Amino acid sequence: MARIGIIIGSTRPGRRGPAVGRWVHQVAVTDRPAATFEILDLADFGLPLLDEPCPAAMGQYRHPHTHAWANAVARCDGFIFVTPEYNHSTSAAMKNAIDYLFAEWHDKAAGFVSYGVTGGWRATEALRLILAEVRVAGVRTAVGLSLFTDFSASGLMPAPHQRATLQTMLDELLTWSSALSRVRQA
């Protein structure tokens, strides 16, 4: 059974990431019971700006927060990155969290759910480039939530087509996660 980490990539007060992450989790566990989905909220890990003295590729982590983050990432077969778009990219917290680790990311798959004024698409594209360097394969289909049409004063209210897109992304993610598990075992 594939284990998928839903990484919430914003840590700022008033963030919308937890609502988006809960929606993704609810759809995933309802529609894909053959997999396990776990929310990994970066705010819960308390990662300071990268403070490990050795490069992540060496795998010589010294701090408890790094070990906790490494264990959470290592136990996953794939990921859904829930990212806001900040200044045409992903959040600094998300980039920092990726940079903390190296081997724990290798040969896993990723799906993307972004949000922002224009759906967060530039954040997804930035993440695809970053994750390629740590050997994470991004699936083609992604969800882009618009702050104008998928949110209201009362919170997240995704348009109906967003769920269908999320379901397609989940199918692709689970297929790739399964395929890449054989690569990791080799």
Side-chain angles (χ1 to χ4, degrees), residues 2-89:
R3 181 181 198 89
I4 306 298
I6 301 169
I7 300 176
I8 298 174
S10 175
T11 58
R12 71 172 182 79
R15 63 201 173 119
R16 296 181 180 183
V20 177
R22 285 190 302 273
W23 172 69
V24 169
H25 186 264
Q26 183 270 322
V27 171
V29 299
T30 300
D31 297 347
R32 303 298 182 281
T36 300
F37 297 88
E38 173 185 11
I39 292 179
L40 304 174
D41 189 339
L42 292 182
D44 295 338
F45 287 90
L47 297 171
L49 192 57
L50 186 57
D51 66 347
E52 285 291 336
C54 295
M58 295 177 74
Q60 297 174 4
Y61 307 134
R62 301 230 174 107
H63 301 295
H65 55 261
T66 309
H67 286 286
W69 178 233
N71 290 336
V73 170
R75 71 176 170 252
C76 294
D77 299 302
F79 307 96
I80 299 170
F81 288 86
V82 174
T83 183
E85 182 176 312
Y86 294 161
N87 299 318
H88 291 208
S89 191

Side-chain angles (χ1 to χ4, degrees), residues 33 37 44 58-59 67 70 103 121 130 147 151 153 167-169:
F37 297 88
D44 295 338
M58 295 177 74
H67 286 286
W121 294 114
I130 295 163
L147 294 179
F151 292 85
Q167 290 172 330
T168 300
M169 186 268 289

